[in-house]
Amino acid sequence: MTDLSSIKPEPIWELGGVLLEGACWEAAASVFWFVDIKKKLIHRLDPATGKRDSWTAPDQPGFVLPRASGGLVVGMPFGLYHFDPAAGSFTKLVSVEADRAGNRLNDGFTDATGRVWFGSMSDGECADSGAFYHWTGGEPVRVLDGICITNGPATSPDGTVLYHTDTLGQTIYAADIGADGSLSNRRVFARIGKDEGYPDGMAVDAEGCVWVGLFFGWGIRRYAPDGTLLGFVRFPVSNVTKLAFGGPDLKTVYVTTASLGLSDEQKAAQPLAGGLFTFKSPVAGLPPAKVRA
């Protein structure tokens, strides 16, 4: 069994963010992208040079994903947008949930085929109005519905299984993916205990194991493909939101965190909350893909 207990995550960008999310490694450019949803910011880090760039989005960005044709796809309330970093411009690609006032898009992922999986959620975290979609151009296809906070879409190495979280339900699910992107045989993959945190963003490694960040859970769990808990990486902050494998060997893990929901006393005790962290993994991640649409 791979031991994770000795890993000590290190802060690399002390942003003082509210809700960092959308961890995404762009391999071709060797840069790391992420967002601060509540501050309406998109961030980019070049680890080789240390260069840091930030852009203000017109609305809350839930995720940002590089496109094969250039630029990036950004999920914001009621649509997917093309983002051109050079111009700082946003162009709407397609509407999403224009009929669901009070929702926003929350987390996204590009699978090995270039298909985008993403979720929506109740912005006030007060209704089961969230859903999961996939998108390959054209209209997004809704594949799951009735979830308050959707999170963590990720796929198995062979692309046949989708993992996702019902954050408030403290449950990680798995479902089989059909050739057309349809889902079947949805089942519980793992449950998080009442006082152990809330499952947030995820990533899958080269061994097919699922890594999940825990909001109010002080770290990241690693699960075997059969749902067995294998290890835990403890953080100095309680709200871990998402991770991505990067670097030339895909063993450098970048992790977003949040200060959202912390009291003043908790913030004082966790001065690094809302910052970006990194650590070295003993196992490589999967090669990231670009959006083909």
Side-chain angles (χ1 to χ4, degrees):
M1 182 183 298
T2 302
D3 182 21
L4 306 180
S5 62
S6 63
I7 292 175
K8 303 297 182 186
E10 297 290 336
I12 52 172
W13 192 347
E14 297 180 25
L15 287 139
V18 178
L19 184 55
L20 303 190
E21 260 282 11
C24 179
W25 177 253
E26 184 179 1
S30 297
V31 295
F32 175 73
W33 293 91
F34 62 108
V35 302
D36 187 329
I37 296 173
K38 294 304 180 182
K39 286 189 175 183
K40 301 180 182 178
L41 292 172
I42 295 172
H43 299 295
R44 179 179 66 191
L45 171 68
D46 183 336
T49 66
K51 190 173 187 296
R52 303 170 178 182
D53 298 289
S54 300
W55 295 262
T56 298
D59 209 329
Q60 297 181 93
F63 57 85
V64 57
L65 301 169
R67 300 181 79 186
S69 59
L72 302 101
V73 172
V74 180
M76 290 188 289
F78 314 119
L80 300 178
Y81 292 76
H82 172 79
F83 169 50
D84 179 352
S89 61
F90 296 82
T91 305
K92 195 170 191 177
L93 296 168
V94 65
S95 294
V96 182
E97 293 192 345
D99 59 334
R100 295 192 180 190
N103 269 17
R104 64 170 174 83
L105 301 191
N106 190 50
D107 200 0
F109 164 77
T110 308
D111 69 19
T113 72
R115 174 170 47 199
V116 176
W117 297 89
F118 67 93
S120 63
M121 64 170 282
S122 165
D123 193 28
E125 303 179 12
C126 58
D128 291 337
S129 57
F132 274 103
Y133 300 81
H134 66 69
W135 182 71
T136 55
E139 292 298 315
V141 178
R142 187 179 298 162
V143 291
L144 289 172
D145 209 345
I147 302 171
C148 184
I149 302 178
T150 61
N151 256 310
T155 56
S156 59
D158 64 4
T160 63
V161 178
L162 177 78
Y163 300 101
H164 77 86
T165 64
D166 174 351
T167 296
L168 286 188
Q170 294 181 286
T171 304
I172 305 168
Y173 290 94
D176 298 332
I177 304 172
D180 60 353
S182 60
L183 299 182
S184 63
N185 189 30
R186 182 170 175 252
R187 61 229 181 240
V188 172
F189 176 74
R191 294 192 188 277
I192 309 300
K194 180 180 178 181
D195 299 317
E196 296 175 343
Y198 296 84
D200 209 311
M202 295 190 292
V204 176
D205 66 29
E207 296 180 354
C209 295
V210 178
W211 300 59
V212 57
L214 297 178
F215 205 96
F216 291 135
W218 294 93
I220 295 171
R221 287 185 174 187
R222 182 180 186 242
Y223 289 91
D226 65 359
T228 301
L229 179 60
L230 297 178
F232 180 72
V233 179
R234 184 168 181 83
F235 274 67
V237 297
S238 63
N239 299 339
V240 179
T241 56
K242 194 174 175 73
L243 68 144
F245 291 86
D249 59 0
L250 295 176
K251 289 186 175 182
T252 300
V253 181
Y254 296 95
V255 186
T256 53
T257 69
S259 61
L260 184 72
L262 299 182
S263 66
D264 290 342
E265 292 79 8
Q266 289 171 322
K267 289 177 182 178
Q270 301 177 42
L272 299 175
L276 181 66
F277 288 78
T278 189
F279 64 85
K280 292 296 291 186
S281 168
V283 181
L286 296 173
K290 289 192 174 185
V291 179
R292 74 170 187 255

